[in-house]
Amino acid sequence: MTFKRVAAACVGAALSLAITSFGSVAQAADMTAWKPAAPPPPAPPLDIHGFFDVTFANDYMTPRGLLVTNTGLTTQIVNGLTFSLYKNPDSWINSFSVTVGTFNDLWSKQNSVTGGANAVTPGQFDAVGSWNEFDWWVSADWTMGKYWKAGVTYITFISPPGNFQQERNVEPYLRFDDGALTGWAFTFNPYVKLFYAISGSSTVVVGNQGNTYDVEIGMVPTLDLKNITGVPLTIAAPTWVTVGPSSYWNRGVTGCGLATTTPCSLSNAGVVTTGLALKETLDWLVPTRWGTWYAKGGVQYYHVINDSLLLAQTFTGTANSYATAHREVWVGYGGLGFTF
C-alpha cells in the first residue's frame, strides 16, 4: 500500500507540473500575440505658415527715405500666410513658396490734421480715423543652390485718407545666405532689391509717377547669441543705401530753397541708413504650441542724401518748409509678433 501511495503521489506531481508548464507556455504565447503596436509616425511638417507683427514707432520713414509722419505714435501691423509648395535639398532649386500679406499703418495724430486732396470728400478723412495706409502684396520666393534666395513681390500702396493715388509696384530681390554656407553665429546677409513703380502717385511724392525705379543695396549683419550662449536673442544692424535715376526722386518740382521756384539739386542717391535691432524669442514665456512668439526693439538712423526727399517733407507735413526739413532722422521702435 505504501508503494502504491508513493507512486500515485509521483504521478500526481508530474501531472501538476505538466499542467503548470503548459499554462506558462500558453500565457507566454498570449503575451507575444498581444504585444503593443508601434507608435504611429510623426505628422509631416506643415506646408502653410503664418506670421503676425506689430510695431510701435515715433516716426514713419519708408525704405526709400520718405518721412511720412514724425508726430504722435505710429503703429504698423503686418500679417500674412506663406504656402510652401516645393522642397528638395538635393536639387538646384531647393524650395519654392508663395506668400500673401497685408500692411497697415495707424497714425495717432491723423484726426487732428486736414485730409488729403484725393479723398472722396477733398480735405476730409472720410471717417477712416487714424488709418493712414493699407498695403497688400503677393510674393513668390525660392532658394537656389542652398545659399541664394530670390523672389519677386507685387505690392499695392493705398491711402485710406486719400493722400495719394493707388500705387502699384513690383520688387524683385536677390539675397546671399552666408549663414547657410558657414554655419557661423555671425552673418552678413547681403542683398540687392529693385523697386519698380508701375503706376500711381510717386512713392517719394515729387518724383516720376509710374514707370520708374530705384535700387536698394544692403546687408543685415546679424549675431545669433543662441548659437554661442544659448540665449534666444539676435542682434542685427540693418544697413542699406538707395540709388536710382534722378527722375525717380524729382520730376521737375521746384522749391528746394527760400523761393518756391528754386530748383532742386538732382542726384541719383536717395538715403543711406543703418541701425541696431534686437529680437528675443519668447519660448520661455509662451508655449510653442501657440506659435513662436518674439519681442523686438531697436533704433534706425537715416541720412537723407537727396534734396528732393527734403522737399517731399513739405508735402507730407513733416516739415513746415524746405529750410526746416529733416536731413537726419532717428526712428525708435518696439513691438512683438509670432509665427507658426
Side-chain angles (χ1 to χ4, degrees):
M1 292 295 293
T2 303
F3 174 78
K4 290 181 178 180
R5 290 177 182 174
V6 172
C10 290
V11 172
L15 290 173
S16 177
L17 179 61
I19 293 171
T20 303
S21 300
F22 178 79
S24 299
V25 172
Q27 185 178 11
D30 290 343
M31 291 179 64
T32 302
W34 289 98
K35 184 179 179 180
L46 286 176
D47 284 333
I48 179 172
H49 305 278
F51 54 90
F52 175 87
D53 182 278
V54 58
T55 301
F56 306 98
N58 60 312
D59 294 346
Y60 175 17
M61 186 80 157
T62 73
R64 290 156 291 283
L66 177 64
L67 184 58
V68 180
T69 64
N70 62 348
T71 59
L73 177 68
T74 291
T75 303
Q76 298 179 338
I77 303 169
V78 180
N79 61 350
L81 291 172
T82 297
F83 302 87
S84 298
L85 304 179
Y86 170 81
K87 287 178 285 189
N88 187 345
D90 299 323
S91 66
W92 170 244
I93 303 296
N94 307 123
S95 65
F96 179 81
S97 62
V98 173
T99 299
V100 292
T102 65
F103 166 90
N104 286 276
D105 177 74
L106 308 176
W107 178 31
S108 64
K109 291 289 186 178
Q110 182 162 268
N111 284 326
S112 62
V113 297
T114 303
N118 293 319
V120 175
T121 305
Q124 301 296 320
F125 277 123
D126 301 323
V128 298
S130 59
W131 194 15
N132 186 44
E133 183 179 334
F134 171 72
D135 307 338
W136 66 269
W137 81 87
V138 58
S139 67
D141 306 270
W142 55 94
T143 303
M144 304 175 294
K146 298 182 180 180
Y147 311 126
W148 294 92
K149 295 183 178 181
V152 59
T153 300
Y154 172 81
I155 185 167
T156 297
F157 302 155
I158 299 171
S159 175
N163 290 330
F164 57 83
Q165 295 178 351
Q166 182 171 279
E167 300 165 355
R168 300 175 180 86
N169 315 281
V170 173
E171 295 181 276
Y173 74 88
L174 179 65
R175 179 181 299 121
F176 180 64
D177 186 0
D178 57 305
L181 174 64
T182 65
W184 294 350
F186 180 77
T187 55
F188 289 97
N189 307 297
Y191 70 92
V192 60
K193 179 169 66 175
L194 171 68
F195 179 86
Y196 180 76
I198 301 172
S199 64
S201 297
S202 167
T203 53
V204 289
V205 181
V206 297
N208 275 353
Q209 298 176 323
N211 194 27
T212 188
Y213 69 93
D214 82 322
V215 179
E216 181 180 318
I217 306 168
M219 65 174 64
V220 188
T222 302
L223 177 63
D224 189 349
L225 292 181
K226 189 172 184 178
N227 289 345
I228 302 175
T229 65
V231 177
L233 177 68
T234 59
I235 304 173
T239 304
W240 70 87
V241 62
T242 57
V243 295
S246 60
S247 58
Y248 172 78
W249 312 103
N250 195 306
R251 61 181 181 273
V253 181
T254 60
C256 291
L258 296 178
T260 57
T261 56
T262 304
C264 297
S265 299
L266 300 181
S267 173
N268 296 112
V271 66
V272 61
T273 177
T274 190
L276 186 65
L278 282 73
K279 183 178 179 180
E280 181 182 8
T281 304
L282 302 178
D283 292 352
W284 55 271
L285 180 63
V286 183
T288 55
R289 65 178 182 273
W290 292 348
T292 302
W293 286 74
Y294 60 85
K296 66 177 184 177
V299 62
Q300 193 75 20
Y301 164 73
Y302 298 84
H303 173 72
V304 177
I305 302 171
N306 202 298
D307 290 348
S308 295
L309 287 171
L310 300 180
L311 177 62
Q313 294 178 21
T314 65
F315 289 87
T316 62
T318 51
N320 293 324
S321 65
Y322 177 81
T324 60
H326 311 278
R327 192 175 290 275
E328 320 297 332
V329 178
W330 292 85
V331 178
Y333 63 89
L336 73 162
F338 65 86
T339 61
F340 65 85

